[in-house]
Amino acid sequence: AKQMAVRKLTPVECERLQGFPDNYTNIKENCPDGHRYKSLGNSMAVPVMKWLGERINNYKEVEDGKI
């Protein structure tokens, strides 16, 4: 049987998945990773929120007769 290993994502990898720049959550020198993971877990993915906001705005403009 082939052995599989699970690797924990780094804070930078989590930032990238959420759409933030590298080291965005490293707010002070040597910020503990736990704090960084917690802040990322409490956030929403920036590209997804942007996409949703644009769709809501487009719908509103159609409803208001601007398009």
Side-chain angles (χ1 to χ4, degrees):
K2 187 176 180 179
Q3 290 287 338
M4 298 290 288
V6 176
R7 180 180 68 82
K8 186 177 183 178
L9 295 173
T10 67
V12 171
E13 290 170 323
C14 292
E15 289 166 342
R16 290 174 180 171
L17 285 170
Q18 290 284 62
F20 293 107
D22 288 2
N23 295 306
Y24 185 78
T25 59
N26 195 17
I27 59 171
K28 63 179 184 176
E29 192 172 332
N30 298 320
C31 184
D33 287 352
H35 294 288
R36 296 177 71 186
Y37 287 122
K38 188 172 185 176
S39 66
L40 288 162
N42 288 333
S43 66
M44 296 182 212
V46 175
V48 174
M49 293 297 101
K50 181 178 186 249
W51 184 87
L52 286 171
E54 288 170 349
R55 297 313 175 277
I56 291 168
N57 189 51
N58 288 343
Y59 177 82
K60 184 169 176 1
E61 288 180 355
V62 168
E63 288 295 307
D64 291 345
K66 294 179 181 175
I67 295 179

